[in-house]
Amino acid sequence: MALAKISGENRRIKSILFLICCALAGIFPHLMAPSKNLFPSITLAVLLGGYGLRVVLRDRRDNYKLQNEYLIKGEKFVETLPKVDVLVAARDEENVIERLVSRLLSIEYPEEKISLWIIDDGSQDRTPDLLKKLRTSFSRINVLSRPLMSGGGKSGALNSVLNKTDGEWLFILDADAQLQSNVLLRAIALALHGGWSAVQLRKSVVNCELNQIASYQAMEMAMDAVIQRGRLASGGVSELRGNGQLINRKVLECCGGFNEQTITDDLDLSFRFLLTRSPIVIMWDPPIQEEAVESLSALFRQRKRWAEGGLQRFFDYWPLLISNRLSNFKKIDLSCFFLLQYVLPVVSFIDFIVSIILFETPLYWPLSIVAFGISSLAFWKGCSQNSEGPRLPSPNFINILGATIYLAHWFIVIPFIVVKMSLFRKTLIWEKTDHIGS
């Protein structure tokens, strides 16, 4: 099976089978004798809790850090820098496009070794007019316009510019990205001296003080970075996160470019890098800064896309994930992650429904408590670390408790998406997150 040929066939059938398996797992303990019905949940809590604890504890402050920061200031290093193409896919970004151009022009990198590209992906607001004006003022900015409904979403937009660029590395940003001027130099140095095929910058929130929803998203991003770095340090898998990803062009070409049959290009590409044995590292500092969504409705809209894209990649690539392409520990890591991230919310939801019908107590509470406990530890560890970006929320008891309760939204979003994917034939729609210009 060629990686470039995977197109996501039979996702609906796979979703139905997944839902049936989760339903059986949720119902089965209720058919057991009362003295034994907690045994499945307690067993999984011990196994998955041990895995989660190992992951969180393995993250260290000096993990995957450029050891010699002075390296990026040396003449020899600057002379040997590879060519980099900075790519931004933008659709209806009138609120942030001018700030984006300012940030791109401030990137510290030899001018002859960097090209800046913005792909206007069928914008219907003032974005095309603003880009035209900016292009006139700043000749270094290259603009490629795609007609509305060109297809492929963000992946299609990025693919459309690949044949017009020749950089050895691609630095991919979202339109709301804010970054330190030396971040590209530091990411390139880490990639070259660490032998990494991709570097994902830790994501941070610029408007975390707006409200509690934004604050919890900031904590969630720090938690995610801790978990990803811990998984990598344990011999497991780390993933791309879309905004602030530096990737090797040759590896991308070996993977077949960006997949236009998925709604989360970053998660899909993470698996294809994994299957070609191309390691991804998470860089803690400096982070890539972006806006958090500001309301519950926007949060659920965003998370539904993330949940669906996350499941799509497991459904698409599972034959390769269980093949000899991966080491046994990477398979274990992926299995534990899949069980905690996708299976547990669906099984817990079914367990809850069955409990209501039978007037019984839910039986998967030991596993859920352990999962939330591990998340709380990761919240604390992530927010306790120093950050060169926006100040992280204080890891006090109230904040960690609130953020842990906030994570429960996944126990609504993921069951909803699984049912939706099982009942309805999917038409790929790439919904973007609206950027306010915080």
Side-chain angles (χ1 to χ4, degrees), residues 42-343:
I42 292 174
T43 302
L44 287 172
V46 171
L47 295 176
L48 296 180
Y51 154 80
L53 186 62
R54 171 189 170 92
V55 163
V56 173
L57 295 180
R58 286 300 297 271
D59 177 43
R60 297 285 188 274
R61 189 165 297 182
D62 57 348
N63 275 2
Y64 317 115
K65 180 180 179 181
L66 185 61
Q67 297 301 319
N68 187 359
E69 295 286 357
Y70 295 103
L71 176 70
I72 65 173
K73 299 179 181 178
E75 287 186 19
K76 185 176 181 181
F77 174 70
V78 173
E79 291 173 359
T80 59
L81 283 171
K83 186 173 181 182
V84 178
D85 299 314
V86 182
L87 310 181
V88 184
R91 180 170 34 137
D92 297 336
E93 299 288 5
E94 63 181 8
N95 293 329
V96 297
I97 200 69
E98 291 176 300
R99 185 185 66 193
L100 169 69
V101 169
S102 175
R103 294 291 189 268
L104 295 182
L105 293 172
S106 71
I107 295 175
E108 295 176 7
Y109 209 80
E111 210 169 301
E112 69 278 7
K113 294 186 177 183
I114 186 173
S115 63
L116 309 173
W117 285 85
I118 300 177
I119 306 99
D120 173 29
D121 195 18
S123 296
Q124 294 183 288
D125 63 357
R126 295 172 53 241
T127 300
D129 294 334
L130 291 172
L131 282 174
K132 184 177 181 181
K133 184 189 300 184
L134 291 165
R135 177 71 178 85
T136 302
S137 302
F138 306 105
S139 59
R140 289 182 58 201
I141 299 294
N142 300 284
V143 177
L144 175 67
S145 297
R146 293 214 308 163
L148 184 65
M149 305 300 290
S150 294
K154 181 180 177 182
S155 294
L158 294 173
N159 281 334
S160 68
V161 80
L162 290 181
N163 61 356
K164 301 180 183 300
T165 60
D166 59 357
E168 299 171 56
W169 291 81
L170 305 175
F171 190 39
I172 299 171
L173 302 171
D174 286 349
D176 66 326
Q178 300 189 49
L179 61 161
Q180 293 185 15
S181 58
N182 67 350
V183 66
L184 179 56
L185 283 171
R186 291 167 70 176
I188 281 286
L190 180 61
L192 296 179
H193 290 271
W196 304 102
S197 298
V199 177
Q200 173 62 57
L201 306 183
R202 173 177 61 90
K203 296 172 71 173
S204 65
V205 168
V206 296
N207 56 340
C208 67
E209 297 182 357
L210 177 71
N211 55 35
Q212 284 302 117
I213 295 175
S215 177
Y216 293 150
Q217 288 172 76
M219 296 179 70
E220 185 180 21
M221 289 179 180
M223 175 199 72
D224 177 69
V226 166
I227 291 174
Q228 297 298 329
R229 285 154 51 95
R231 292 175 68 190
L232 186 60
S234 301
V237 176
S238 58
E239 300 175 326
L240 297 169
R241 289 293 181 256
N243 190 14
Q245 56 186 32
L246 177 70
I247 59 179
N248 185 285
R249 176 189 285 268
K250 287 185 178 179
V251 177
L252 177 66
E253 291 174 349
C254 289
C255 293
F258 297 96
N259 187 0
E260 299 184 21
Q261 298 301 315
T262 181
I263 58 175
T264 49
D265 58 287
D266 50 342
L267 298 181
D268 181 274
L269 187 59
S270 297
F271 271 16
R272 288 186 287 137
F273 267 52
L274 172 65
L275 293 166
T276 54
R277 298 182 176 88
S278 305
I280 300 168
V281 68
I282 309 297
M283 184 174 177
W284 183 267
D285 276 330
I288 191 74
Q289 304 169 36
E290 64 181 30
E291 295 179 19
V293 296
E294 300 181 358
S295 65
L296 280 175
S297 59
L299 178 73
F300 275 87
R301 185 166 61 249
Q302 180 192 69
R303 300 313 166 91
K304 285 189 292 184
R305 177 172 63 85
W306 290 2
E308 186 167 358
L311 277 168
Q312 282 178 356
R313 61 182 173 149
F314 277 100
F315 293 160
D316 293 349
Y317 295 101
W318 73 266
L320 296 176
L321 297 176
I322 62 174
S323 70
N324 58 8
R325 287 174 181 255
L326 302 185
S327 67
N328 288 332
F329 195 87
K330 282 184 168 56
K331 293 176 186 176
I332 293 172
D333 175 75
L334 281 173
S335 299
C336 292
F337 177 78
F338 181 72
L339 288 170
L340 288 169
Q341 180 74 23
Y342 299 104
V343 175

